[in-house]
Amino acid sequence: MKVIPLASESLGVRSLATFIKLGSMGILIDPGVALGPKRYSLPPAKAELGALMEARRKIQEYSKDADIITISHYHYDHHTPFFEGIYESSSPDKAKELYESKTLLIKHPRENINFSQRKRAWVFLKKAEKITKNIEYADGKFFDFGDFIMEFSPAVPHGNEGSKLGFVIMVMVDDGKKRVIHASDIQLLNRMSKEWIIKQTPDLLITGGPPTYLEGYRVKEAWNTGLKNLKEIIKETNTEIILDHHLIRDKRYPEFFVQLEKEPFTFAGFLKEKDRPLEAYRKELHMIEKGEEVEVPFRI
């Protein structure tokens, strides 16, 4: 099994897109990429727009080798929609090319889903059903592909219990030698997802951290809860961790990493590249565009 991170905050965009190669089979997980339309009251910087185009190119490229595509939920940084988007770098042609004739294992579009995602799922399926007949609602299901199995969690909260952002599904891929879990947007904040991960005893966990970049009184609570839950997962499973997504929008994420007994990788670190958390440094990137001399901890 070969795990290839494709796009994430440590690579300059909002995403947790991942490709897994198993012999002649390819699995593309959460093939979406986006940018935050506003951060520090600023639009994306030029460097972010460049990273967006590169991430979309990479996802499209790996989709050619994918037999199976999974979608954990219907936010645009986790699936490519069938419309023109500035900050999603999407188009109907790109979406058609990505999904056509693939097996789609996706979050149920009507059960355990909030209104906005139900609407997005309806729009997505209206187009997807015309270009592939292999669509399965994967919530809580098990699939045996011979050389490997895939097991999906029941729908779990997108963040805290009772989150208004809806629900997501996690996926475990097991080829008999290695177990990998992709736990998208659980944010390490709810008991259901933590218990499901521990039960599966993964060798590698790919997950997004808590959204500590958001302002408000819940930031400290999210930091502490996420840290506590991830420590418990590591203690119970001894899994390797790839930790990225929401947490990396916070410049302080290295402080979170060093509080863990086992230091995680970011997507960039797993690829042996230097982190480029562009959104976290959007203010500085705009200042650099204006010709000001500002230091950032990565190459632009």
Side-chain angles (χ1 to χ4, degrees), residues 40-41 48 67 96 105 115 118 120 136 147 156 165 243 248 290 292 294:
Y40 310 116
S41 299
E48 293 177 85
D67 304 279
K96 182 176 185 292
L105 306 179
F115 176 77
R118 186 184 298 116
R120 292 178 184 186
E136 291 267 5
D147 292 334
V156 298
L165 294 173
L243 180 60
I248 313 302
K290 294 176 182 177
E292 300 179 39
V294 180

Side-chain angles (χ1 to χ4, degrees), residues 19-32:
F19 186 80
I20 297 180
K21 187 72 173 176
L22 301 113
S24 62
M25 295 284 285
I27 303 170
L28 180 56
I29 301 174
D30 276 13

Side-chain angles (χ1 to χ4, degrees), residues 171-185:
V171 60
M172 187 269 294
V173 181
D174 183 354
D175 66 354
K177 298 177 182 177
K178 187 172 186 176
R179 283 188 163 208
V180 175
I181 289 179
H182 187 282
S184 169
D185 283 23

Side-chain angles (χ1 to χ4, degrees), residues 72-73 107 112-114 117 155-158 163 165-169:
S72 64
H73 63 299
K107 169 77 186 67
N112 292 308
I113 191 166
N114 62 356
Q117 288 200 57
V156 298
H158 184 298
S163 169
L165 294 173
F167 296 84
V168 304
I169 55 174

Side-chain angles (χ1 to χ4, degrees), residues 104-294:
L104 304 185
L105 306 179
I106 64 176
K107 169 77 186 67
H108 201 293
R110 294 181 300 278
E111 297 177 2
N112 292 308
I113 191 166
N114 62 356
F115 176 77
S116 65
Q117 288 200 57
R118 186 184 298 116
K119 183 177 178 181
R120 292 178 184 186
W122 180 83
V123 172
F124 173 78
L125 283 168
K126 189 176 179 181
K127 298 287 188 179
E129 287 171 348
K130 294 180 179 179
I131 59 174
T132 181
K133 301 300 181 185
N134 304 315
I135 301 177
E136 291 267 5
Y137 303 155
D139 308 39
K141 291 184 180 178
F142 175 94
F143 299 88
D144 189 341
F145 292 96
D147 292 334
F148 64 94
I149 61 170
M150 297 177 70
E151 184 173 348
F152 289 80
S153 74
V156 298
H158 184 298
N160 299 90
E161 278 92 351
S163 169
K164 294 181 180 180
L165 294 173
F167 296 84
V168 304
I169 55 174
M170 301 176 281
V171 60
M172 187 269 294
V173 181
D174 183 354
D175 66 354
K177 298 177 182 177
K178 187 172 186 176
R179 283 188 163 208
V180 175
I181 289 179
H182 187 282
S184 169
D185 283 23
I186 62 168
Q187 300 180 351
L188 298 167
L189 295 179
N190 64 80
R191 177 183 54 80
M192 289 175 63
S193 58
K194 177 189 70 175
E195 291 180 352
W196 190 85
I197 290 167
I198 291 172
K199 181 180 177 182
Q200 302 302 322
T201 60
D203 301 295
L204 176 65
L205 171 63
I206 302 168
T207 189
T212 59
Y213 72 101
L214 296 174
E215 297 197 10
Y217 73 98
R218 291 188 179 274
V219 171
K220 186 175 180 181
E221 177 186 334
W223 181 290
N224 291 337
T225 300
L227 199 60
K228 176 178 176 291
N229 285 337
L230 189 52
K231 283 183 175 182
E232 186 174 344
I233 290 169
I234 293 171
K235 179 182 177 183
E236 295 295 328
T237 67
N238 197 35
T239 183
E240 293 294 326
I241 305 285
I242 299 178
L243 180 60
D244 213 302
H245 208 26
H246 304 89
L247 179 64
I248 313 302
R249 298 174 199 171
D250 186 340
K251 292 178 182 178
R252 303 170 302 156
Y253 74 88
E255 299 173 28
F256 188 97
F257 280 33
V258 298
Q259 293 183 60
L260 296 164
E261 290 77 4
K262 179 179 285 191
E263 188 169 355
F265 295 99
T266 59
F267 268 29
F270 191 81
L271 294 169
K272 296 182 170 53
E273 298 176 9
K274 191 172 180 62
D275 290 351
R276 298 181 73 235
L278 300 181
E279 181 178 322
Y281 288 86
R282 186 176 288 181
K283 281 192 295 188
E284 288 84 352
L285 292 174
H286 275 280
M287 293 168 71
I288 290 169
E289 286 180 18
K290 294 176 182 177
E292 300 179 39
E293 291 189 11
V294 180

